[in-house]
Amino acid sequence: MRIYLIGILSGVMLAAAFTYVFAIPANSDYWRMEIYKRGGAAWTMDKTGHVGWRWMADPISDAPSPTKRAVAPPSAVKIRSERM
């Protein structure tokens, strides 16, 4: 029972550390300003004065896009092969 509780406590501490390191900074205005400075997003304000956040580029879809297959151009060097 004691090992089980130690494992649960370790998991909770690991989840808290992960949240503190990755999730909280991702939602801070410091990183949003860095993205804004590089031209990736813009601050917006509606008629009522609420400040918002908008990405300038469309998100990339996870689904594969239906594109044509790439065809390699023929080689510029002509190689002659002879049968022996």
Side-chain angles (χ1 to χ4, degrees):
M1 183 69 169
R2 188 174 277 173
I3 292 174
Y4 173 75
L5 292 175
I6 290 171
I8 294 294
L9 179 62
S10 298
V12 169
M13 289 172 41
L14 186 64
F18 182 85
T19 301
Y20 182 76
V21 171
F22 294 107
I24 294 173
N27 293 322
S28 72
D29 288 338
Y30 171 78
W31 293 110
R32 288 182 179 173
M33 280 306 296
E34 287 295 319
I35 295 168
Y36 171 75
K37 287 178 190 175
R38 295 165 197 232
W43 291 98
T44 60
M45 185 176 292
D46 61 5
K47 294 178 183 176
T48 60
H50 292 100
V51 176
W53 178 254
R54 182 173 163 242
W55 289 98
M56 299 301 285
D58 293 329
I60 298 171
S61 173
D62 288 339
S65 60
T67 57
K68 292 183 180 179
R69 297 183 83 191
V71 178
S75 176
V77 179
K78 299 218 175 195
I79 300 172
R80 288 183 59 162
S81 61
E82 296 180 8
R83 260 187 133 166
M84 297 266 181

